[in-house]
Amino acid sequence: MLRNALSRLRGAHRPESSVEGRTDRVRLALPPSMSASLGCDAVGVPARHGFRLMSHLPRTGCVFADADSWWWIVPAGSDLDLDWPEQVVYAPGADVPAARPRLIHAPEGLTPYTPPIPLFLMVCQVTGVAPSWAAPGRTSVVSTP
């Protein structure tokens, strides 16, 4: 799985550039066989964390990559009450700031999603950020008992 992802990624190598400085945006296109009934958002992490995340997640959905970032497809609204680390780009509608991202992993099933909570916890771990369930100054959408 990881060897296949690496070989696909090598074909997408581009000169270094920062995700924040990009003006080009691309809507990630899922394989036609996938059902995205929950809508699609994307979570982008620096490419240096890509293999580690993929190898430690219990289930991985569609993953896209270019030389700078890896993008995991998650259900729409997966940012609610989650304070994603600063190094992460959360892209509603899977409209990402990337240059020619390629599909490097597609699950065998019909759903394109990576479960967002395990992804969130792993992203926090690899970026060295303590998980936070609601951003400071933002009211939680989930009511407390």
Side-chain angles (χ1 to χ4, degrees), residues 32-102:
S33 62
M34 299 277 160
S35 171
S37 58
L38 300 175
C40 286
D41 289 348
V43 175
V45 298
R48 69 181 176 274
H49 300 307
F51 284 114
R52 185 170 177 203
L53 285 170
M54 188 178 284
S55 67
H56 286 86
L57 286 168
R59 183 189 180 292
T60 303
C62 288
V63 180
F64 293 81
D66 65 9
D68 298 320
S69 301
W70 284 35
W71 300 92
W72 274 261
I73 298 297
V74 294
S78 294
D79 59 336
L80 293 176
D81 287 335
L82 295 179
D83 185 16
W84 291 91
E86 273 187 32
Q87 301 94 324
V88 172
V89 176
Y90 190 88
D95 182 29
V96 301
R100 296 179 31 211
R102 294 180 179 199

Side-chain angles (χ1 to χ4, degrees), residues 6 26 30 39 44 52 80 87-90 97 101 104 108 126 128 134 143:
L6 180 60
V26 175
L30 299 176
R52 185 170 177 203
L80 293 176
Q87 301 94 324
V88 172
V89 176
Y90 190 88
I104 61 167
E108 292 183 18
V126 300
S143 61

Side-chain angles (χ1 to χ4, degrees), residues 12-19 22 66-69 99-100:
H13 183 67
R14 291 176 40 109
E16 294 243 352
S17 64
S18 75
V19 171
R22 290 184 180 171
D66 65 9
D68 298 320
S69 301
R100 296 179 31 211

